[in-house]
Amino acid sequence: MCGIVAYLGKEEAYPILIKGLHRLEYRGYDSAGVALIDEGDIQVYKCKGKVSELENHVGENSHHGSIGMGHTRWATHGQPNDENAHPHQSNKGNLAIIHNGIIENYATLKEELINRGHTFQSETDTEVLVNLIEDIYRHAKVSLAEAVRISLNEVVGAYAIVVMDRDNPGQLIAAKKSSPLVIGIGEEGDYYIASDATPIVEYTKNVIYLEDEEIAVINRDQELKIMNLQNQKVTPYVQELEMQLEALEKGGYDHFMLKEIYEQPRSIKDCFRGRMNLQKGIIKMQGIDDNKDQWINARRIIIVACGTSWHAGLVAEYMFEDVARIPVEVEYASEFRYRNPIIYPDDIVIAISQSGETADTLAAIELAKKKGAHIFGVCNVVGSTISRATHSGAYTHAGPEIGVASTKAFTAQITVLSLIALSVAQMRETISNERLYRLMAEINSLPDKVAQVLESNDQIESISEIYKDVANALYLGRGNNFPVALEGALKLKEISYIHAEGYPAAEMKHGPIALIDENMPVFVIATQDESYEKVVSNIQEVKARKGKVIAIVTYGDEQVKKLADYTIEIPKTDSLLVPLVAVIPFQLLSYHIALMRGCNVDQPRNLAKSVTVE
Ligand code: F6R
C-alpha cells in the first residue's frame, strides 16, 4: 500500500528513484511522483497513473540532484488525481514529504493549521502533516529533525515518511509507525530509504529496519543517527539482506503472476527443505521446538489472516484438527480485531501474512498479545512488521511475490502450516508413525505433482478461451477443497473482474442453485476422496439445470468425465494435501481469462499488494 523510496548520495537520484518506484509499484499504482533538490530548488513531478506515466510526464524536463524522493500511491484520502499524488510540499515550498499510512486525526490538525493561515491544495492527510512540520519548524525555531519529532508526537495513526528541506540538500529525515521503512547503507555515504528492500537490494545488502516511533536523521557524509519520539538515542542495528535481485525480475515470463505460478514446484520445495527428514520421520521447525510446551498444551488454535492467507488458514484448519487434534478457529483479522474475542493464555494465535504488513492482521496480533496468547507468525517477507511482532514463527521462503494476486504464497503457506500441524501432532502423539511417514512422503512429492499440473497449461488456456466472456462463475468444493473454491473465485474476480462465488458444494442447493442456467460455468473440485460421490451428485444437480461444469478430477477419473463439460486432471495425493495441487488449474485459468479480457494481470484495478491500512 503506497511505496516510498528516497536517496541521498553521490549519484544522480532520479534514475535510482524511478527504478525503485517500478519495483514498488505492486504496492499501489493510482499515482506516482518524485521530488529532487537541485541548485537550491525543489523540483516536484507527479501525476495520476503509473510510474511509466510519470516518466512521460517528466520527459525532457530537468531532473537533476543527488537527493530526492519518490512515491507510488494507493489512494486512501482523496481521489487518485495529480493534486493528491505525492510528494507534497509545505506552504512555503521548502519542505517535501512522502508518506505511506493514514493520519487519523488529520481533520483536527488541518483545522488548526487553517486557523494559523495554512492553505491546502490536496485532500490528503499527508499535506496536513508536512504543513504541521513546517509550522513547528518555522515557529519553534528547532532543527527539522526536532520539528518532525514534535509533529509526530501530535499525530494519531500510521506513517512511514521521508522529509527533505530545500535549504538543506544534504539531509533526509525518515520516520515510521505501523508502516514499514528500510534504510540501505551503501558504499561511500550512499543512503537509500524504501518501504521494502526491493529498491535497495541492487545497491547494498546492509539494511536497517526502522522500528515504530523511530526517526532516522541522515546527513550527507555523516553516520546516520536514530532517535525515538521521546528524543532518546537509539543504536542502529544493521542487518544483512538475504534477498536476491533475480527474484525481482520476470525471468522471461510475460507477467510476474505467471512466473510465480510456475515457481511453485520450487517454492514448495524451499518451504520444506531442511525442515523434513524423511528417513528419520523428523520435522524440525525452530519456532515450534522452542515453544514445545505451549503447543503440546494448546487449548485452541486461532488463525487470523486476510484474503488468500485466510483461505490458506481454512485449509490448515482441516490439517490441524485431523492430525494434531487441536480445535481451530479461523478468523478474518479485520473482524476479529473489532470483536471482544475470548482468548485464553493457553491459546495459540497463528497470524498468516504474505507481506507481513497487513494492518488488520497486525492489529489482531496486538489484541491477542494483550490477552496473553502465544502468537506464531507465518510470513513470507523476511523482517516484515508481522514477523517481528510475533513471539515465534516460520517463514514460508516462497521468495518475493510481486504479482498482486497471491499464488505461490498460498501454496507455501499451506505447506508450512502442514509441517507445523505434523510437527505438533508428533509432539502430542496424536498421529501414528505410519501416517506421519506417509504424509511426509506426500509433501515431498508435491513439487513433482504441481509440476505435472502445470503441464496442463495449454488445455487450461483453451478452456479459458471458452469462458472468458462470462459475467458470473461459481466455484464448488467440499471439505478442505471448499477454501480452494473460495480461492479460485477470488483469483478470478480480482484479476479478470468477473463476478465469482465460492461455495461448499452441498450448500449450493440452499440458494446459489437458483443462479444456474446454461450461461453459468461451475468449477468443481471433484477429486477422489471421501466426498467424491457426494460431489458427483452435486455435479448432476448442476447439469440437470443446464449449468456448464468444469471439474478438477484425479488422473484416470471416468465417472465425472462422463458428466462434466470439461475435466482437468491432477495427480492423486493425500486428501489433506489436495488443495495444494487443485488450486493450480484455478490460478492458471484466472491468469489466462484476465489476459484474454485485456486486464492488467499483475496490477489489477483498485488493488495493492500489501494492505497497510484498515
Ligand atoms: C489475493 C490477495 C489478498 C491478500 C490479502 C492478505 O490474491 O493477494 O487477498 O491475500 O490482502 O495479504 P497478506 O497475506 O500480505 O497479509
Side-chain angles (χ1 to χ4, degrees):
M1 191 127 297
C2 297
I4 70 183
V5 59
Y7 171 77
L8 169 64
K10 309 225 166 1
E11 306 292 323
E12 280 288 336
Y14 181 74
I16 297 171
L17 299 177
I18 289 292
K19 202 170 205 184
L21 288 180
H22 277 296
R23 291 224 195 281
L24 290 170
E25 200 164 26
Y26 72 98
R27 301 175 68 94
Y29 29 84
D30 286 334
S31 63
V34 287
L36 300 147
I37 305 180
D38 188 33
E39 296 181 356
D41 199 19
I42 296 191
Q43 303 144 358
V44 178
Y45 300 102
K46 53 187 194 174
C47 62
K48 180 173 183 255
K50 303 204 172 203
V51 180
S52 52
E53 286 163 65
L54 171 69
E55 286 178 276
N56 290 337
H57 174 63
V58 174
E60 297 302 312
N61 291 316
S62 159
H63 46 260
H64 295 294
S66 58
I67 176 171
M69 52 173 59
H71 189 273
T72 174
R73 175 170 187 247
W74 188 84
T76 54
H77 286 73
Q79 296 262 320
N81 56 25
D82 296 357
E83 290 72 39
N84 291 335
H86 297 218
H88 286 285
Q89 284 178 274
S90 59
N91 277 178
K92 293 260 173 235
N94 56 327
L95 301 184
I97 191 171
I98 44 175
H99 168 218
N100 175 18
I102 288 189
I103 309 297
E104 287 166 18
N105 58 337
Y106 86 103
T108 325
L109 295 171
K110 189 171 184 175
E111 212 176 292
E112 286 169 17
L113 288 165
I114 289 171
N115 291 339
R116 291 216 285 276
H118 287 262
T119 55
F120 292 90
Q121 264 76 53
S122 77
E123 302 155 71
T124 64
D125 49 347
T126 308
E127 199 189 359
V128 175
L129 180 56
V130 73
N131 276 294
L132 177 64
I133 297 170
E134 185 197 80
D135 200 73
I136 294 168
Y137 190 28
R138 198 150 34 103
H139 291 111
K141 305 235 178 317
V142 290
S143 67
L144 179 60
E146 183 58 3
V148 170
R149 190 186 72 80
I150 297 170
S151 307
L152 293 180
N153 272 303
E154 288 190 30
V155 154
V156 179
Y159 53 80
I161 56 165
V162 182
V163 184
M164 64 183 190
D165 177 3
R166 179 190 58 203
D167 304 325
N168 187 0
Q171 186 181 64
L172 288 175
I173 313 276
K176 78 144 245 161
K177 184 182 175 194
S178 301
S179 295
L181 207 57
V182 194
I183 301 173
I185 303 168
E187 284 171 14
E188 298 174 23
D190 281 354
Y191 286 100
Y192 308 83
I193 307 172
S195 315
D196 62 47
T198 55
I200 296 178
V201 62
E202 165 155 17
Y203 308 105
T204 178
K205 295 235 162 176
N206 297 326
V207 295
I208 297 167
Y209 288 93
L210 224 53
E211 295 291 339
D212 275 355
E213 304 199 341
E214 285 183 356
I215 302 170
V217 183
I218 300 171
N219 284 309
R220 199 181 285 282
D221 299 325
Q222 287 180 28
E223 294 255 303
L224 146 156
K225 293 192 184 69
I226 300 181
M227 61 186 166
N228 62 19
L229 284 193
Q230 289 71 47
N231 209 9
Q232 292 153 329
K233 200 172 159 218
V234 176
T235 308
Y237 171 52
V238 182
Q239 304 183 35
E240 194 173 330
L241 265 185
E242 282 178 20
M243 190 181 282
Q244 301 303 323
L245 191 57
E246 308 80 71
L248 306 174
E249 313 282 353
K250 285 192 195 137
Y253 287 90
D254 288 342
H255 297 95
F256 280 111
M257 183 180 178
L258 191 62
K259 175 186 175 226
E260 287 155 10
I261 291 173
Y262 271 85
E263 272 175 350
Q264 289 176 106
R266 197 233 358 109
S267 55
I268 292 173
K269 194 179 263 169
D270 285 348
C271 193
F272 64 69
R273 192 200 304 275
R275 286 171 164 164
M276 239 186 6
N277 184 329
L278 278 180
Q279 280 70 41
K280 295 190 176 152
I282 293 172
I283 293 174
K284 186 122 200 64
M285 309 274 297
Q286 202 62 46
I288 306 291
D289 296 346
D290 291 349
N291 300 283
K292 212 168 166 177
D293 288 348
Q294 246 122 354
W295 285 96
I296 290 177
N297 301 315
R299 177 198 292 241
R300 204 171 43 148
I301 292 172
I302 303 171
I303 296 179
V304 290
C306 302
T308 290
S309 298
W310 181 72
H311 297 157
L314 289 175
V315 173
E317 178 179 18
Y318 289 84
M319 183 66 117
F320 273 109
E321 294 200 336
D322 192 333
V323 301
R325 307 304 296 150
I326 305 176
V328 180
E329 287 169 26
V330 188
E331 305 263 1
Y332 280 119
S334 52
E335 291 294 320
F336 180 79
R337 61 178 291 198
Y338 290 113
R339 292 208 321 256
N340 185 11
I342 297 167
I343 307 169
Y344 302 105
D346 50 355
D347 282 340
I348 291 187
V349 172
I350 303 180
I352 312 173
S353 176
Q354 187 287 126
S355 62
E357 282 179 32
T358 303
D360 285 322
T361 310
L362 194 57
I365 290 172
E366 297 305 338
L367 175 68
K369 245 192 202 171
K370 275 195 203 125
K371 305 223 176 200
H374 181 81
I375 321 289
F376 189 93
V378 174
C379 294
N380 191 36
V381 177
V382 176
S384 54
T385 310
I386 291 177
S387 69
R388 288 180 295 135
T390 47
H391 295 119
S392 59
Y395 284 117
T396 47
H397 298 308
E401 192 180 64
I402 312 282
V404 164
S406 195
T407 52
K408 65 174 178 172
F410 178 70
T411 47
Q413 286 163 345
I414 299 175
T415 308
V416 91
L417 288 160
S418 302
L419 293 179
I420 296 168
L422 289 178
S423 165
V424 173
Q426 199 173 25
M427 284 174 186
R428 288 168 56 92
E429 298 176 5
T430 50
I431 188 166
S432 68
N433 272 343
E434 192 263 326
R435 189 160 189 228
L436 176 73
Y437 273 85
R438 196 158 28 87
L439 278 163
M440 284 170 69
E442 274 304 322
I443 292 175
N444 193 50
S445 69
L446 282 170
D448 288 342
K449 291 183 177 173
V450 168
Q452 281 177 53
V453 183
L454 291 170
E455 283 170 21
S456 307
N457 183 42
D458 288 350
Q459 185 211 359
I460 295 168
E461 191 174 0
S462 316
I463 295 175
S464 307
E465 183 67 48
I466 299 165
Y467 295 106
K468 67 177 193 305
D469 295 319
V470 296
N472 300 288
L474 211 53
Y475 285 72
L476 303 177
R478 291 182 88 117
N480 60 351
N481 284 321
F482 159 53
V484 180
L486 291 175
E487 177 60 9
L490 176 63
K491 285 292 88 92
L492 188 70
K493 60 188 145 195
E494 71 181 326
I495 62 167
S496 73
Y497 319 139
I498 294 174
H499 170 239
E501 300 271 0
Y503 263 94
E507 274 295 303
M508 191 187 53
K509 54 188 167 296
H510 298 289
I513 199 162
L515 293 169
I516 293 175
D517 61 16
E518 65 280 9
N519 299 316
M520 176 68 99
V522 184
F523 299 93
V524 190
I525 304 145
T527 45
Q528 274 161 11
D529 49 35
E530 305 81 55
S531 54
Y532 178 70
E533 292 301 336
K534 302 248 182 285
V535 176
V536 171
S537 308
N538 298 138
I539 291 175
Q540 276 160 335
E541 288 157 13
V542 174
K543 287 312 298 174
R545 275 119 194 130
K546 298 195 172 63
K548 301 285 182 279
V549 172
I550 305 94
I552 302 207
V553 297
T554 313
Y555 276 138
D557 182 287
E558 290 301 331
Q559 203 177 343
V560 174
K561 221 173 237 173
K562 287 189 196 123
L563 293 172
D565 296 79
Y566 300 97
T567 54
I568 301 165
E569 291 185 314
I570 62 170
K572 187 160 181 61
T573 182
D574 190 285
S575 59
L576 284 176
L577 301 170
V578 169
L580 284 152
V581 191
V583 76
I584 311 291
F586 288 163
Q587 296 173 343
L588 284 168
L589 192 96
S590 313
Y591 170 79
H592 289 301
I593 290 184
L595 204 62
M596 288 167 190
R597 289 167 70 94
C599 302
N600 186 332
V601 173
D602 281 338
Q603 295 175 346
R605 72 183 179 207
N606 305 339
L607 290 176
K609 186 72 186 161
S610 44
V611 186
T612 54
V613 293
E614 294 173 25

